Amino acid sequence: MNFVISSVMLMVLAAGVAVYFGKQEFTEPGPSANGDTFLVKPNTGVQDIADQLERRGLISDARIFRLGVRAFGNDSALKAGEYEVKPRASMRDIMELLKSGKSVMYSLTIPEGLTVEQALQRIAGEPALSGDMPAKTPPEGSLATDTLRFTRGATRQQMIDKLLGDQKKLVDEVWQRRAPDLPLSNVDEFVTLASIVEKETGKGDERSRVAAVFLNRLAKGMRLQSDPTIIYGLFGGKGKPVDRPIYQSDIQKQTPYNTYLISGLPPTPIANPGRAALEAVANPSKTDDLYFVADGTGGHVFAATLDEHNENVARYRALQKKQADEAAKAAAAAGASGDTDKPADAIDGGDAGGDAGAAQ
């Protein structure tokens, strides 16, 4: 009897010691000095999670982790997701993290002015997303310009659906608050003009005035003569190659988008407009301006008459010539040679009304 009692006492004592040291190991700092991300797939059991954590060096003993999770009654409480395990995180810390469901969040940014094709390239290239791209490309201008937050495993189609839905909601909202006298027939023309304004200027304080110029020209039956429409007509949704200048001869190339040659708006938007560009077109500045040209500092100067515009263009031409002369001297010093086709002065200057002598 004494032997039996002694054996039981020893077993109880041993169990108590095991529990004590197991608890200590469950709560003490873990073995990983750098931490890591850890992915729990749906329907993964505690045993598999524990084994993976041990193999990754995030915990010291899978059995203790498994028993600790069970002791806290969390066998079925660990959630699928991707988690950021901090350096030296204890097993209890990791259990609480996996119980919380606070997965690592990723960001996908679609800036204003990207075409749909360029936006889809970003979505396709995001490694944290899953699934295939849609077989059919959404219409130009139909994607929201936004930063989306998502967890690993979200699908590419979910991102596209979100951007489509958000843009439709935004466009409808702004269109309902438009000024009553806009020379636009429908919401499609509204988005098309907003996309042109988006590509013409990135300066917030200019957008409503740029929009006013184009709306004034539409009301008078004047051609828009917007440089970005030339670019879209030549290169479409892929965008202009960085190393390819726009030449004077490009102005005369006939495309459905070249607003130097066509009247009214192009057939579709030329990019995805953001909220600011949409708001600018819906409620433009009240001006008589019909022209604008780059000022050489990233902004534009505006004019209501052709004479005033010609003066602004002349100043811009002088600045361009000075810059070209300095570039030529630098190129000559480096032994560089020039292009055979002269780059267009007006292009990339963003001047509604085109070249001073050709303004209509």
mmCIF file of all heavy atoms in Angstrom, residues 2-42:
data_model
loop_
_atom_site.group_PDB
_atom_site.id
_atom_site.type_symbol
_atom_site.label_atom_id
_atom_site.label_comp_id
_atom_site.label_asym_id
_atom_site.label_seq_id
_atom_site.Cartn_x
_atom_site.Cartn_y
_atom_site.Cartn_z
ATOM 1 N N ASN A 2 1.939 1.170 0.865
ATOM 2 C CA ASN A 2 2.853 2.313 0.908
ATOM 3 C C ASN A 2 3.497 2.560 -0.460
ATOM 4 O O ASN A 2 3.701 3.691 -0.890
ATOM 5 C CB ASN A 2 3.945 2.082 1.960
ATOM 6 C CG ASN A 2 3.385 2.234 3.371
ATOM 7 O OD1 ASN A 2 2.357 2.874 3.566
ATOM 8 N ND2 ASN A 2 4.061 1.635 4.339
ATOM 9 N N PHE A 3 3.802 1.448 -1.134
ATOM 10 C CA PHE A 3 4.417 1.565 -2.463
ATOM 11 C C PHE A 3 3.455 2.199 -3.451
ATOM 12 O O PHE A 3 3.828 3.056 -4.245
ATOM 13 C CB PHE A 3 4.835 0.164 -2.944
ATOM 14 C CG PHE A 3 5.360 0.165 -4.352
ATOM 15 C CD1 PHE A 3 6.638 0.638 -4.643
ATOM 16 C CD2 PHE A 3 4.555 -0.273 -5.412
ATOM 17 C CE1 PHE A 3 7.097 0.646 -5.938
ATOM 18 C CE2 PHE A 3 5.022 -0.252 -6.702
ATOM 19 C CZ PHE A 3 6.302 0.184 -6.967
ATOM 20 N N VAL A 4 2.196 1.769 -3.399
ATOM 21 C CA VAL A 4 1.201 2.303 -4.310
ATOM 22 C C VAL A 4 0.988 3.796 -4.076
ATOM 23 O O VAL A 4 0.937 4.602 -4.997
ATOM 24 C CB VAL A 4 -0.138 1.548 -4.168
ATOM 25 C CG1 VAL A 4 -1.251 2.234 -4.955
ATOM 26 C CG2 VAL A 4 0.026 0.114 -4.638
ATOM 27 N N ILE A 5 0.858 4.114 -2.748
ATOM 28 C CA ILE A 5 0.658 5.532 -2.415
ATOM 29 C C ILE A 5 1.841 6.368 -2.866
ATOM 30 O O ILE A 5 1.697 7.461 -3.418
ATOM 31 C CB ILE A 5 0.409 5.691 -0.895
ATOM 32 C CG1 ILE A 5 -0.940 5.056 -0.524
ATOM 33 C CG2 ILE A 5 0.426 7.163 -0.503
ATOM 34 C CD1 ILE A 5 -1.177 5.002 0.983
ATOM 35 N N SER A 6 3.039 5.831 -2.619
ATOM 36 C CA SER A 6 4.254 6.559 -3.014
ATOM 37 C C SER A 6 4.307 6.743 -4.525
ATOM 38 O O SER A 6 4.689 7.809 -5.041
ATOM 39 C CB SER A 6 5.495 5.803 -2.538
ATOM 40 O OG SER A 6 5.515 5.737 -1.137
ATOM 41 N N SER A 7 3.927 5.687 -5.257
ATOM 42 C CA SER A 7 3.954 5.761 -6.718
ATOM 43 C C SER A 7 2.979 6.809 -7.232
ATOM 44 O O SER A 7 3.281 7.591 -8.133
ATOM 45 C CB SER A 7 3.613 4.392 -7.323
ATOM 46 O OG SER A 7 4.587 3.437 -6.954
ATOM 47 N N VAL A 8 1.752 6.806 -6.623
ATOM 48 C CA VAL A 8 0.755 7.787 -7.029
ATOM 49 C C VAL A 8 1.236 9.192 -6.749
ATOM 50 O O VAL A 8 1.093 10.105 -7.585
ATOM 51 C CB VAL A 8 -0.588 7.522 -6.336
ATOM 52 C CG1 VAL A 8 -1.554 8.666 -6.562
ATOM 53 C CG2 VAL A 8 -1.190 6.221 -6.820
ATOM 54 N N MET A 9 1.829 9.381 -5.567
ATOM 55 C CA MET A 9 2.334 10.703 -5.197
ATOM 56 C C MET A 9 3.435 11.154 -6.146
ATOM 57 O O MET A 9 3.500 12.321 -6.544
ATOM 58 C CB MET A 9 2.836 10.695 -3.755
ATOM 59 C CG MET A 9 1.728 10.556 -2.717
ATOM 60 S SD MET A 9 2.359 10.543 -1.035
ATOM 61 C CE MET A 9 3.057 12.195 -0.943
ATOM 62 N N LEU A 10 4.302 10.200 -6.511
ATOM 63 C CA LEU A 10 5.371 10.546 -7.443
ATOM 64 C C LEU A 10 4.806 10.920 -8.817
ATOM 65 O O LEU A 10 5.276 11.860 -9.474
ATOM 66 C CB LEU A 10 6.344 9.367 -7.578
ATOM 67 C CG LEU A 10 7.293 9.164 -6.405
ATOM 68 C CD1 LEU A 10 8.059 7.854 -6.550
ATOM 69 C CD2 LEU A 10 8.276 10.338 -6.306
ATOM 70 N N MET A 11 3.762 10.166 -9.232
ATOM 71 C CA MET A 11 3.147 10.460 -10.517
ATOM 72 C C MET A 11 2.478 11.834 -10.519
ATOM 73 O O MET A 11 2.592 12.601 -11.477
ATOM 74 C CB MET A 11 2.126 9.376 -10.877
ATOM 75 C CG MET A 11 2.752 8.016 -11.191
ATOM 76 S SD MET A 11 1.499 6.727 -11.419
ATOM 77 C CE MET A 11 0.641 7.338 -12.843
ATOM 78 N N VAL A 12 1.792 12.120 -9.394
ATOM 79 C CA VAL A 12 1.139 13.424 -9.280
ATOM 80 C C VAL A 12 2.178 14.536 -9.273
ATOM 81 O O VAL A 12 2.022 15.578 -9.914
ATOM 82 C CB VAL A 12 0.270 13.489 -8.017
ATOM 83 C CG1 VAL A 12 -0.214 14.914 -7.767
ATOM 84 C CG2 VAL A 12 -0.911 12.539 -8.133
ATOM 85 N N LEU A 13 3.250 14.278 -8.515
ATOM 86 C CA LEU A 13 4.320 15.270 -8.444
ATOM 87 C C LEU A 13 4.957 15.488 -9.816
ATOM 88 O O LEU A 13 5.208 16.620 -10.225
ATOM 89 C CB LEU A 13 5.382 14.818 -7.433
ATOM 90 C CG LEU A 13 6.577 15.772 -7.234
ATOM 91 C CD1 LEU A 13 6.096 17.113 -6.704
ATOM 92 C CD2 LEU A 13 7.591 15.144 -6.279
ATOM 93 N N ALA A 14 5.194 14.370 -10.523
ATOM 94 C CA ALA A 14 5.808 14.466 -11.845
ATOM 95 C C ALA A 14 4.887 15.219 -12.806
ATOM 96 O O ALA A 14 5.329 16.050 -13.611
ATOM 97 C CB ALA A 14 6.111 13.071 -12.396
ATOM 98 N N ALA A 15 3.569 14.904 -12.702
ATOM 99 C CA ALA A 15 2.617 15.594 -13.561
ATOM 100 C C ALA A 15 2.594 17.079 -13.245
ATOM 101 O O ALA A 15 2.529 17.924 -14.151
ATOM 102 C CB ALA A 15 1.220 14.992 -13.396
ATOM 103 N N GLY A 16 2.631 17.401 -11.954
ATOM 104 C CA GLY A 16 2.642 18.801 -11.556
ATOM 105 C C GLY A 16 3.870 19.520 -12.066
ATOM 106 O O GLY A 16 3.791 20.659 -12.547
ATOM 107 N N VAL A 17 5.039 18.830 -11.953
ATOM 108 C CA VAL A 17 6.277 19.425 -12.458
ATOM 109 C C VAL A 17 6.189 19.628 -13.968
ATOM 110 O O VAL A 17 6.586 20.669 -14.500
ATOM 111 C CB VAL A 17 7.474 18.531 -12.092
ATOM 112 C CG1 VAL A 17 8.739 19.001 -12.825
ATOM 113 C CG2 VAL A 17 7.713 18.537 -10.595
ATOM 114 N N ALA A 18 5.644 18.595 -14.653
ATOM 115 C CA ALA A 18 5.514 18.700 -16.114
ATOM 116 C C ALA A 18 4.602 19.857 -16.493
ATOM 117 O O ALA A 18 4.879 20.627 -17.422
ATOM 118 C CB ALA A 18 4.978 17.386 -16.694
ATOM 119 N N VAL A 19 3.474 19.981 -15.769
ATOM 120 C CA VAL A 19 2.546 21.075 -16.045
ATOM 121 C C VAL A 19 3.211 22.415 -15.783
ATOM 122 O O VAL A 19 3.074 23.365 -16.560
ATOM 123 C CB VAL A 19 1.272 20.935 -15.207
ATOM 124 C CG1 VAL A 19 0.423 22.199 -15.288
ATOM 125 C CG2 VAL A 19 0.450 19.735 -15.657
ATOM 126 N N TYR A 20 3.961 22.490 -14.675
ATOM 127 C CA TYR A 20 4.614 23.743 -14.305
ATOM 128 C C TYR A 20 5.603 24.168 -15.391
ATOM 129 O O TYR A 20 5.578 25.314 -15.876
ATOM 130 C CB TYR A 20 5.331 23.594 -12.970
ATOM 131 C CG TYR A 20 6.158 24.792 -12.597
ATOM 132 C CD1 TYR A 20 5.574 25.930 -12.056
ATOM 133 C CD2 TYR A 20 7.545 24.786 -12.802
ATOM 134 C CE1 TYR A 20 6.338 27.043 -11.730
ATOM 135 C CE2 TYR A 20 8.314 25.892 -12.476
ATOM 136 C CZ TYR A 20 7.708 27.020 -11.942
ATOM 137 O OH TYR A 20 8.470 28.109 -11.625
ATOM 138 N N PHE A 21 6.485 23.234 -15.777
ATOM 139 C CA PHE A 21 7.497 23.591 -16.765
ATOM 140 C C PHE A 21 6.881 23.770 -18.159
ATOM 141 O O PHE A 21 7.341 24.593 -18.945
ATOM 142 C CB PHE A 21 8.608 22.528 -16.789
ATOM 143 C CG PHE A 21 9.554 22.656 -15.626
ATOM 144 C CD1 PHE A 21 9.517 21.757 -14.581
ATOM 145 C CD2 PHE A 21 10.476 23.691 -15.587
ATOM 146 C CE1 PHE A 21 10.387 21.874 -13.505
ATOM 147 C CE2 PHE A 21 11.346 23.817 -14.503
ATOM 148 C CZ PHE A 21 11.301 22.910 -13.456
ATOM 149 N N GLY A 22 5.810 22.979 -18.428
ATOM 150 C CA GLY A 22 5.114 23.163 -19.701
ATOM 151 C C GLY A 22 4.483 24.542 -19.788
ATOM 152 O O GLY A 22 4.542 25.198 -20.827
ATOM 153 N N LYS A 23 3.874 24.966 -18.666
ATOM 154 C CA LYS A 23 3.274 26.293 -18.630
ATOM 155 C C LYS A 23 4.333 27.374 -18.787
ATOM 156 O O LYS A 23 4.124 28.380 -19.477
ATOM 157 C CB LYS A 23 2.511 26.479 -17.323
ATOM 158 C CG LYS A 23 1.777 27.807 -17.227
ATOM 159 C CD LYS A 23 1.013 27.934 -15.923
ATOM 160 C CE LYS A 23 0.310 29.287 -15.840
ATOM 161 N NZ LYS A 23 -0.423 29.448 -14.563
ATOM 162 N N GLN A 24 5.472 27.144 -18.137
ATOM 163 C CA GLN A 24 6.574 28.094 -18.250
ATOM 164 C C GLN A 24 7.013 28.237 -19.710
ATOM 165 O O GLN A 24 7.183 29.346 -20.221
ATOM 166 C CB GLN A 24 7.768 27.630 -17.412
ATOM 167 C CG GLN A 24 7.595 27.808 -15.918
ATOM 168 C CD GLN A 24 7.640 29.274 -15.512
ATOM 169 O OE1 GLN A 24 6.593 29.884 -15.258
ATOM 170 N NE2 GLN A 24 8.821 29.846 -15.480
ATOM 171 N N GLU A 25 7.175 27.059 -20.369
ATOM 172 C CA GLU A 25 7.625 27.100 -21.762
ATOM 173 C C GLU A 25 6.554 27.688 -22.670
ATOM 174 O O GLU A 25 6.869 28.337 -23.670
ATOM 175 C CB GLU A 25 7.998 25.693 -22.240
ATOM 176 C CG GLU A 25 8.697 25.686 -23.590
ATOM 177 C CD GLU A 25 9.357 24.347 -23.908
ATOM 178 O OE1 GLU A 25 9.353 23.457 -23.032
ATOM 179 O OE2 GLU A 25 9.877 24.204 -25.026
ATOM 180 N N PHE A 26 5.280 27.499 -22.325
ATOM 181 C CA PHE A 26 4.186 28.012 -23.136
ATOM 182 C C PHE A 26 4.125 29.537 -23.105
ATOM 183 O O PHE A 26 3.699 30.171 -24.073
ATOM 184 C CB PHE A 26 2.855 27.422 -22.640
ATOM 185 C CG PHE A 26 1.691 27.670 -23.561
ATOM 186 C CD1 PHE A 26 1.566 26.984 -24.759
ATOM 187 C CD2 PHE A 26 0.709 28.590 -23.221
ATOM 188 C CE1 PHE A 26 0.488 27.209 -25.606
ATOM 189 C CE2 PHE A 26 -0.371 28.818 -24.058
ATOM 190 C CZ PHE A 26 -0.482 28.128 -25.256
ATOM 191 N N THR A 27 4.562 30.116 -21.993
ATOM 192 C CA THR A 27 4.446 31.565 -21.825
ATOM 193 C C THR A 27 5.770 32.321 -21.965
ATOM 194 O O THR A 27 5.758 33.543 -22.073
ATOM 195 C CB THR A 27 3.851 31.896 -20.447
ATOM 196 O OG1 THR A 27 4.672 31.306 -19.421
ATOM 197 C CG2 THR A 27 2.432 31.352 -20.336
ATOM 198 N N GLU A 28 6.891 31.608 -21.971
ATOM 199 C CA GLU A 28 8.179 32.314 -22.058
ATOM 200 C C GLU A 28 8.472 32.696 -23.502
ATOM 201 O O GLU A 28 7.863 32.169 -24.435
ATOM 202 C CB GLU A 28 9.292 31.431 -21.498
ATOM 203 C CG GLU A 28 9.617 30.232 -22.348
ATOM 204 C CD GLU A 28 10.670 29.329 -21.718
ATOM 205 O OE1 GLU A 28 10.975 29.510 -20.526
ATOM 206 O OE2 GLU A 28 11.182 28.443 -22.435
ATOM 207 N N PRO A 29 9.401 33.668 -23.726
ATOM 208 C CA PRO A 29 9.722 34.104 -25.083
ATOM 209 C C PRO A 29 10.102 32.940 -25.985
ATOM 210 O O PRO A 29 10.767 31.995 -25.565
ATOM 211 C CB PRO A 29 10.900 35.061 -24.881
ATOM 212 C CG PRO A 29 10.703 35.592 -23.490
ATOM 213 C CD PRO A 29 10.143 34.443 -22.707
ATOM 214 N N GLY A 30 9.679 33.023 -27.238
ATOM 215 C CA GLY A 30 9.905 31.947 -28.189
ATOM 216 C C GLY A 30 11.284 31.971 -28.811
ATOM 217 O O GLY A 30 12.086 32.878 -28.567
ATOM 218 N N PRO A 31 11.577 30.990 -29.680
ATOM 219 C CA PRO A 31 12.930 30.827 -30.226
ATOM 220 C C PRO A 31 13.255 31.722 -31.425
ATOM 221 O O PRO A 31 14.420 31.859 -31.784
ATOM 222 C CB PRO A 31 12.927 29.357 -30.661
ATOM 223 C CG PRO A 31 11.508 29.064 -31.007
ATOM 224 C CD PRO A 31 10.682 29.882 -30.060
ATOM 225 N N SER A 32 12.244 32.330 -32.047
ATOM 226 C CA SER A 32 12.503 33.085 -33.271
ATOM 227 C C SER A 32 12.986 34.498 -32.953
ATOM 228 O O SER A 32 12.255 35.302 -32.365
ATOM 229 C CB SER A 32 11.232 33.160 -34.129
ATOM 230 O OG SER A 32 11.454 33.956 -35.269
ATOM 231 N N ALA A 33 14.208 34.806 -33.373
ATOM 232 C CA ALA A 33 14.783 36.120 -33.092
ATOM 233 C C ALA A 33 14.240 37.194 -34.038
ATOM 234 O O ALA A 33 14.225 38.379 -33.697
ATOM 235 C CB ALA A 33 16.300 36.068 -33.204
ATOM 236 N N ASN A 34 13.776 36.800 -35.201
ATOM 237 C CA ASN A 34 13.343 37.770 -36.209
ATOM 238 C C ASN A 34 11.841 37.788 -36.449
ATOM 239 O O ASN A 34 11.325 38.712 -37.078
ATOM 240 C CB ASN A 34 14.052 37.477 -37.544
ATOM 241 C CG ASN A 34 15.554 37.572 -37.435
ATOM 242 O OD1 ASN A 34 16.077 38.487 -36.808
ATOM 243 N ND2 ASN A 34 16.251 36.613 -38.024
ATOM 244 N N GLY A 35 11.148 36.777 -35.961
ATOM 245 C CA GLY A 35 9.724 36.691 -36.269
ATOM 246 C C GLY A 35 9.518 36.313 -37.730
ATOM 247 O O GLY A 35 10.476 36.152 -38.499
ATOM 248 N N ASP A 36 8.271 36.186 -38.149
ATOM 249 C CA ASP A 36 7.976 35.792 -39.524
ATOM 250 C C ASP A 36 6.470 35.873 -39.742
ATOM 251 O O ASP A 36 5.709 36.057 -38.801
ATOM 252 C CB ASP A 36 8.453 34.357 -39.782
ATOM 253 C CG ASP A 36 8.735 34.089 -41.252
ATOM 254 O OD1 ASP A 36 8.373 34.945 -42.086
ATOM 255 O OD2 ASP A 36 9.320 33.027 -41.553
ATOM 256 N N THR A 37 6.069 35.750 -40.995
ATOM 257 C CA THR A 37 4.637 35.613 -41.276
ATOM 258 C C THR A 37 4.293 34.133 -41.289
ATOM 259 O O THR A 37 5.121 33.287 -41.675
ATOM 260 C CB THR A 37 4.262 36.254 -42.617
ATOM 261 O OG1 THR A 37 5.058 35.673 -43.661
ATOM 262 C CG2 THR A 37 4.472 37.756 -42.580
ATOM 263 N N PHE A 38 3.077 33.820 -40.874
ATOM 264 C CA PHE A 38 2.651 32.422 -40.784
ATOM 265 C C PHE A 38 1.241 32.309 -41.331
ATOM 266 O O PHE A 38 0.343 33.046 -40.915
ATOM 267 C CB PHE A 38 2.695 31.947 -39.325
ATOM 268 C CG PHE A 38 2.318 30.510 -39.152
ATOM 269 C CD1 PHE A 38 3.187 29.500 -39.525
ATOM 270 C CD2 PHE A 38 1.082 30.155 -38.618
ATOM 271 C CE1 PHE A 38 2.836 28.161 -39.381
ATOM 272 C CE2 PHE A 38 0.724 28.833 -38.464
ATOM 273 C CZ PHE A 38 1.606 27.827 -38.849
ATOM 274 N N LEU A 39 1.066 31.406 -42.292
ATOM 275 C CA LEU A 39 -0.212 31.239 -42.969
ATOM 276 C C LEU A 39 -0.957 30.036 -42.418
ATOM 277 O O LEU A 39 -0.423 28.923 -42.395
ATOM 278 C CB LEU A 39 0.014 31.062 -44.471
ATOM 279 C CG LEU A 39 -1.238 30.851 -45.335
ATOM 280 C CD1 LEU A 39 -2.130 32.089 -45.287
ATOM 281 C CD2 LEU A 39 -0.847 30.516 -46.767
ATOM 282 N N VAL A 40 -2.183 30.261 -41.971
ATOM 283 C CA VAL A 40 -3.076 29.183 -41.544
ATOM 284 C C VAL A 40 -4.145 29.032 -42.614
ATOM 285 O O VAL A 40 -4.971 29.928 -42.818
ATOM 286 C CB VAL A 40 -3.733 29.487 -40.185
ATOM 287 C CG1 VAL A 40 -4.689 28.350 -39.791
ATOM 288 C CG2 VAL A 40 -2.674 29.696 -39.109
ATOM 289 N N LYS A 41 -4.126 27.910 -43.291
ATOM 290 C CA LYS A 41 -5.116 27.670 -44.330
ATOM 291 C C LYS A 41 -6.441 27.252 -43.701
ATOM 292 O O LYS A 41 -6.468 26.733 -42.578
ATOM 293 C CB LYS A 41 -4.622 26.597 -45.295
ATOM 294 C CG LYS A 41 -3.383 27.003 -46.077
ATOM 295 C CD LYS A 41 -2.943 25.915 -47.036
ATOM 296 C CE LYS A 41 -1.712 26.344 -47.825
ATOM 297 N NZ LYS A 41 -1.249 25.274 -48.750
ATOM 298 N N PRO A 42 -7.547 27.477 -44.403
ATOM 299 C CA PRO A 42 -8.851 27.064 -43.869
ATOM 300 C C PRO A 42 -8.883 25.577 -43.534
ATOM 301 O O PRO A 42 -8.261 24.757 -44.215
ATOM 302 C CB PRO A 42 -9.820 27.404 -45.018
ATOM 303 C CG PRO A 42 -9.141 28.496 -45.769
ATOM 304 C CD PRO A 42 -7.676 28.186 -45.691
#
